[in-house]
């Protein structure tokens, strides 16, 4: 879904062993602030759950 929506670019290399790389597209990089906020939310709730 991320690749289909042009958020992530997938590159497959014809090597042995097989290798695949993923990278954010310019559209994906626009989500950086949102991803950082989700990370902060996750850390906060992980700390609450651990109590």
């Amino acid at each position: 879904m991320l690749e289909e929506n042009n958020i992530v670019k997938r590159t497959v290399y014809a090597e042995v062993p097989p290798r695949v790389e993923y990278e954010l597209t310019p559209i994906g990089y626009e989500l950086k602030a949102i991803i950082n906020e989700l990370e902060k939310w996750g850390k906060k709730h992980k700390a609450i759950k651990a109590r």
Side-chain angles (χ1 to χ4, degrees), residues 1 12 14 16 25 34-36 39-40 43-45:
M1 180 173 240
V12 179
V16 177
T25 64
I34 295 167
I35 293 168
N36 288 337
E39 179 184 19
K40 287 184 350 188
K43 287 179 179 178
K44 174 184 174 185
H45 289 277

Side-chain angles (χ1 to χ4, degrees), residues 28-39:
Y29 275 106
E30 289 182 29
L31 295 170
K32 186 175 179 178
I34 295 167
I35 293 168
N36 288 337
E37 288 301 314
L38 285 170
E39 179 184 19

Side-chain angles (χ1 to χ4, degrees), residues 6-42:
N6 201 28
I7 295 169
V8 172
K9 178 184 173 192
R10 180 176 184 254
T11 305
V12 179
Y13 297 91
E15 299 176 351
V16 177
R19 179 170 61 114
V20 178
E21 290 183 356
Y22 295 90
E23 63 181 306
L24 290 173
T25 64
I27 294 170
Y29 275 106
E30 289 182 29
L31 295 170
K32 186 175 179 178
I34 295 167
I35 293 168
N36 288 337
E37 288 301 314
L38 285 170
E39 179 184 19
K40 287 184 350 188
W41 177 86

